[in-house]
Amino acid sequence: MNSLKITEIKPSQTWQIRHEVMWPNLPFEYVQLKEDDLGLHFGAFLDEKLVSIVSCFFKDDEMQFRKLATLEEFQGKGIASELLKHIFSLAKQKNSAKIWCNARTNKKAFYEKFGMVDTHKIFTKEGQEFTIMEILL
């Protein structure tokens, strides 16, 4: 994946992919979060095209990542994995003790590949089931 480039992006650059991949049946405004301005956002570009995004929020000694999404035609190519490696490295640089996320339960196995553990704290949002996954650093 020679042409893959990961870089920090503006919150507004995440919205189109968030909407298309995660919540296509809801209004576009649904993916525009007030707290976006408090986070760091990263995009994976393939040949200059933004194909995958993630948002990170640091609080105390924890990093929560949210809204990890990859355009459908680019899924299964390891792009989201590269994004996760990038932000896990960032969390370590910032001396975070824990990384966590609200994972869609059907994506749990993906996060387990990175050593994340299911806390079995399950909740439902807009008809979608989530579980909190975490890893202690």
Side-chain angles (χ1 to χ4, degrees), residues 1 6-7 23 26 29 31 34 57 64 83 92-93 102 106-107 110 114-115:
M1 226 175 299
I6 295 173
T7 186
W23 304 108
L26 293 172
E29 295 73 30
V31 301
K34 288 188 301 269
F57 299 87
Q64 177 191 18
L83 260 182
K92 288 174 185 161
Q93 287 170 22
N102 297 326
N106 65 338
K107 301 290 186 187
F110 172 75
F114 292 87

Side-chain angles (χ1 to χ4, degrees), residues 5-23:
K5 183 176 159 213
I6 295 173
T7 186
E8 192 171 343
I9 59 175
K10 295 184 192 117
S12 59
Q13 290 177 276
T14 67
W15 297 340
Q16 184 60 46
I17 292 177
R18 276 184 193 174
H19 186 253
E20 188 177 324
V21 175
M22 304 182 92
W23 304 108

Side-chain angles (χ1 to χ4, degrees), residues 5-124:
K5 183 176 159 213
I6 295 173
T7 186
E8 192 171 343
I9 59 175
K10 295 184 192 117
S12 59
Q13 290 177 276
T14 67
W15 297 340
Q16 184 60 46
I17 292 177
R18 276 184 193 174
H19 186 253
E20 188 177 324
V21 175
M22 304 182 92
W23 304 108
N25 300 325
L26 293 172
F28 188 74
E29 295 73 30
Y30 184 78
V31 301
Q32 301 174 15
L33 308 177
K34 288 188 301 269
E35 60 268 28
D36 275 342
D37 289 336
L38 305 174
L40 294 175
H41 309 272
F42 296 93
F45 292 82
L46 204 51
D47 299 323
E48 308 301 315
K49 177 181 172 62
L50 181 60
V51 298
S52 187
I53 49 98
V54 68
S55 300
C56 302
F57 299 87
F58 290 88
K59 185 173 185 215
D60 301 322
D61 63 349
E62 297 181 4
M63 180 188 81
Q64 177 191 18
F65 67 89
R66 301 173 67 180
K67 312 292 187 234
L68 176 65
T70 303
L71 291 174
E72 195 170 345
E73 64 267 30
F74 295 96
Q75 291 178 9
K77 299 181 185 322
I79 297 170
S81 295
E82 290 302 315
L83 260 182
L84 275 190
K85 288 178 196 168
H86 184 82
I87 65 169
F88 275 39
S89 175
L90 176 67
K92 288 174 185 161
Q93 287 170 22
K94 292 183 174 281
N95 295 315
S96 298
K98 179 166 96 173
I99 299 170
W100 65 281
C101 72
N102 297 326
R104 292 182 183 218
T105 51
N106 65 338
K107 301 290 186 187
K108 205 169 70 162
F110 172 75
Y111 296 107
E112 289 170 340
K113 289 191 300 191
F114 292 87
M116 298 189 82
V117 177
D118 188 351
T119 65
H120 302 288
K121 295 176 186 160
I122 295 170
F123 64 95
T124 302

